[in-house]
Amino acid sequence: MEGLLLRTTIATEQNDQAMADKLVDEAYRLEPHNILVMLAQASTGLIETWWVSRLGTDALAGMALVFPVVMLMQMVSGGAMGGGISSAIARALGAGRRKEADALVMHAIVVNVALGAFFSIVMLAFGPSIYRALGGTGGELQTALSYSNVVFAGNILLWLMNALASVIRGTGNMFVPAMVISAGVVVLVPLSPCLIFGVGPFPELGVAGAGLALVLFYAAGTAVLLRYILSGRNLARFRLTALRWPMFRDILAVGAVAAITSLQTNVTIALATALVAATSGTNAVAGFGTGVRLEYLLIPLIFGLGAPLVALVGTNIGAGQKQRALRIALIGGAIAFAISETLGLIAAFWPQAWLALFSPDPHVIETGSAYLRIVGPTYGFFGLGMALYFASQGAARLFWPLLSGSLRVLVAIGGGWIALRLTGSLNWLFAALAFGLIVYGVTLTAAVRSGAWFGRE
């Protein structure tokens, strides 16, 4: 992929349309491999949930409370700030500024480590209040805290790992981060149940064991990625340099705004979880939380498309090839729609095949099935919007993703709250969540197609 990025840069600089088209096709032939790796990463969370579900409904409901917060950290560190890092490096390389790309590596590490430490302090200090506000009580609250405290004790490692992975992806190299993730999956999948249930020499830690396995994965991934960059094999190299505001601004101009977009996604799910908890209790929370895990599964899948989109769009924008960048984005969006819609329709037609993996409780399955039947058919719009969000990071144009995400929150949570007040039925809440996804995808697509990236908002 490093060679692919360099050849794409040369093609854009020489305005060689045929060569650039060939390279774009080559990039997307690599996508199935990248998507499969991201699917493997997502599956670790699902397998972890399956093991935790063996501990009972309270444990499953407690995980449902924590999951939006944990996903927020992963999305902001890897997708939002990570996208800002990859975009800044891709644009610098696309414009031929190699020294600037090198300087961005150290600035990327500083930004993510500082933010990781901040969120660790917040969640360790205020976690109980946050989970109570989301409807956690009794056993589910204790489960949530047992898992959350361990994960956030090692939160800095997640942020550092994603900073390093984003530096590498910004050069167009998707292979190394993908292989690190794959190796981590091989270790994490058996390690998690060993620490949860105390298999062999491992202590029995319950849900805290699941959190510890995740932290150990972050630590190992960080060590491998750091070694790769320090070896000098990465196109953007680590160099000690004086910290400069313009370098931080290049990252934060994309990453900070993108973080708001990530926050919108997770706030929508967290507030929906709170509405379900206030209306229907623990079993319904467990059912909704299990159903919505499938929506979260789409995020790393679309990231498999989105990471190359950031690099390819950023490189073409940096070299002044705007229309080519737009075409790449729309192709990526179409692929994302097809993948997400297929999964959503399968879930809508056969929801019990998914839900029964995690709980036999009829109330859990009933709520989860209602969610998947109503929201699943709109998953394509979520995938479409997410792909264009990543492409917008590469273009450093995030106004429309931010606006589209705000409209989603307003429609989904505002409309859902009104629907619950008027009907008391979770089905109408789920209908509002579905409509919010449609608004998100359609609004962002219309804006990007109309040329909003290029000053015609």
Side-chain angles (χ1 to χ4, degrees):
M1 284 297 291
E2 288 182 18
L4 173 61
L5 181 64
L6 286 173
R7 285 181 286 136
T8 304
T9 302
I10 293 169
T12 54
E13 289 174 346
Q14 295 178 347
N15 198 28
D16 186 341
Q17 180 70 47
M19 180 179 177
D21 289 346
K22 181 179 178 181
L23 295 172
V24 170
D25 292 339
E26 182 180 340
Y28 280 103
R29 281 198 298 271
L30 295 174
E31 286 313 300
H33 172 268
N34 205 36
I35 291 171
L36 286 174
V37 171
M38 292 303 152
L39 178 61
Q41 182 186 26
S43 69
T44 61
L46 301 177
I47 294 169
E48 178 186 72
T49 300
W50 188 85
W51 286 116
V52 169
S53 71
R54 306 303 101 181
L55 301 176
T57 302
D58 277 348
L60 195 58
M63 289 286 285
L65 292 175
V66 181
F67 196 63
V69 185
V70 173
M71 281 301 299
L72 176 62
M73 293 297 100
Q74 294 180 358
M75 289 173 66
V76 174
S77 63
M81 298 308 302
I85 293 165
S86 295
S87 176
I89 288 176
R91 283 181 281 114
L93 291 173
R97 301 190 299 268
R98 294 289 298 274
K99 290 184 178 180
E100 180 179 321
D102 291 345
L104 283 164
V105 176
M106 181 173 173
H107 288 76
I109 292 172
V110 171
V111 167
N112 267 27
V113 168
L115 289 172
F118 170 77
F119 284 113
S120 288
I121 293 170
V122 170
M123 292 308 301
L124 291 173
F126 302 106
S129 299
I130 291 171
Y131 297 128
R132 286 193 190 96
L134 293 176
T137 58
E140 62 184 288
L141 177 60
Q142 292 306 311
T143 297
L145 290 173
S146 296
Y147 181 76
S148 177
N149 287 343
V150 173
V151 170
F152 280 97
N155 189 49
I156 292 177
L157 292 171
L158 166 67
W159 283 78
L160 179 55
M161 182 183 76
N162 280 332
L164 298 173
S166 298
V167 164
I168 297 170
R169 290 189 186 105
T171 70
N173 183 346
M174 310 297 155
F175 180 77
V176 169
M179 289 302 98
V180 170
I181 290 169
S182 297
V185 169
V186 172
V187 175
L188 184 59
V189 169
L191 180 61
S192 186
C194 287
L195 290 171
I196 293 172
F197 301 109
V199 179
F202 297 95
E204 182 179 352
L205 300 176
V207 293
L212 179 59
L214 203 58
V215 171
L216 292 174
F217 164 65
Y218 298 155
T222 297
V224 174
L225 292 172
L226 182 61
R227 180 177 180 181
Y228 177 79
I229 292 175
L230 292 178
S231 71
R233 286 178 287 172
N234 195 52
L235 194 59
R237 294 173 171 83
F238 177 83
R239 301 185 191 280
L240 289 175
T241 181
L243 298 179
R244 292 175 285 162
W245 170 244
M247 299 285 102
F248 288 121
R249 185 178 58 211
D250 281 350
I251 295 171
L252 295 173
V254 173
V257 179
I260 298 174
T261 302
S262 298
L263 181 64
Q264 290 167 336
T265 298
N266 288 277
V267 163
T268 300
I269 301 301
L271 292 179
T273 302
L275 289 175
V276 172
T279 304
S280 302
T282 299
N283 287 333
V285 170
F288 173 70
T290 303
V292 86
R293 283 272 176 143
L294 192 58
E295 182 177 329
Y296 273 125
L297 176 62
L298 298 177
I299 295 172
L301 285 177
I302 303 308
F303 187 76
L305 285 165
L309 281 176
V310 173
L312 289 171
V313 170
T315 302
N316 278 277
I317 291 289
Q321 298 297 326
K322 296 180 179 179
Q323 291 305 313
R324 191 176 298 144
L326 179 60
R327 188 168 68 86
I328 291 169
L330 294 176
I331 292 172
I335 296 171
F337 180 90
I339 294 172
S340 303
E341 187 66 12
T342 300
L343 289 176
L345 290 174
I346 291 172
F349 282 116
W350 298 285
Q352 292 190 15
W354 168 262
L355 298 163
L357 294 173
F358 302 96
S359 176
D361 188 287
H363 297 294
V364 171
I365 293 177
E366 179 184 6
T367 302
S369 295
Y371 165 80
L372 290 173
R373 288 193 181 104
I374 295 170
V375 183
T378 66
Y379 276 179
F381 295 95
F382 180 59
L384 173 62
M386 285 294 295
L388 293 179
Y389 152 71
F390 283 115
S392 296
Q393 286 184 324
R397 295 290 185 269
L398 287 170
F399 171 77
W400 282 101
L402 180 61
L403 178 61
S404 301
S406 299
L407 290 175
R408 179 194 175 189
V409 175
L410 179 63
V411 170
I413 300 305
W417 180 80
I418 293 172
L420 281 177
R421 294 276 293 182
L422 294 176
T423 68
S425 171
L426 289 179
N427 286 349
W428 284 105
L429 168 62
F430 298 153
L433 293 175
F435 189 53
L437 291 181
I438 295 172
V439 168
Y440 173 61
V442 170
T443 302
L444 185 49
T445 302
V448 172
R449 282 180 61 88
S450 70
W453 285 353
F454 312 130
R456 296 198 297 271
E457 289 99 318

